[in-house]
Amino acid sequence: MMKQLLLSLALLGIATAANANCYADYKATMDNPLRLHYGVIELPANACSVGAAQSYISGRLTGGWQLLEVMSVFDEAGLDSRRARAGQYYLRF
């Protein structure tokens, strides 16, 4: 009985982690004229690390924007604290 309970809890934890939303904050640049922006983007589960997010975000940026840096990767708990700073680039790309 105890093994079944532990197994059920472990599976529940894995399922919850797999469904957790993942986000990154980043800096991007555009030339001519030089412009910079800070943004927040939602990531798929397979890009939920700084290294994987770099490729994903580079492919998502449009309009001449180029990725400078992925600052961090975080879950939903970090969204509100970044919303105002990201402004129009909050979940834009």
Side-chain angles (χ1 to χ4, degrees):
M1 177 77 169
M2 183 60 99
K3 285 183 181 181
Q4 290 175 332
L5 178 61
L6 290 175
L7 179 60
S8 296
L9 290 173
L11 291 174
L12 180 62
I14 291 169
T16 301
N19 291 332
N21 290 340
C22 183
Y23 302 88
D25 56 348
Y26 66 90
K27 293 179 184 176
T29 184
M30 182 187 296
D31 292 328
N32 223 7
L34 177 62
R35 293 190 289 169
L36 302 170
H37 86 249
Y38 166 83
V40 173
I41 189 168
E42 185 171 9
L43 301 172
N46 64 349
C48 198
S49 71
V50 171
Q54 289 176 333
S55 296
Y56 180 79
I57 296 169
S58 290
R60 290 289 308 268
L61 293 176
T62 60
W65 289 106
Q66 294 181 324
L67 180 66
L68 285 175
E69 172 188 13
V70 175
M71 299 173 65
S72 63
V73 173
F74 53 92
D75 63 15
E76 290 177 341
L79 281 176
D80 286 338
S81 65
R82 292 168 172 93
R83 183 185 303 257
R85 185 171 172 212
Q88 68 178 351
Y89 297 103
Y90 180 80
L91 304 178
R92 179 175 176 177
F93 293 105

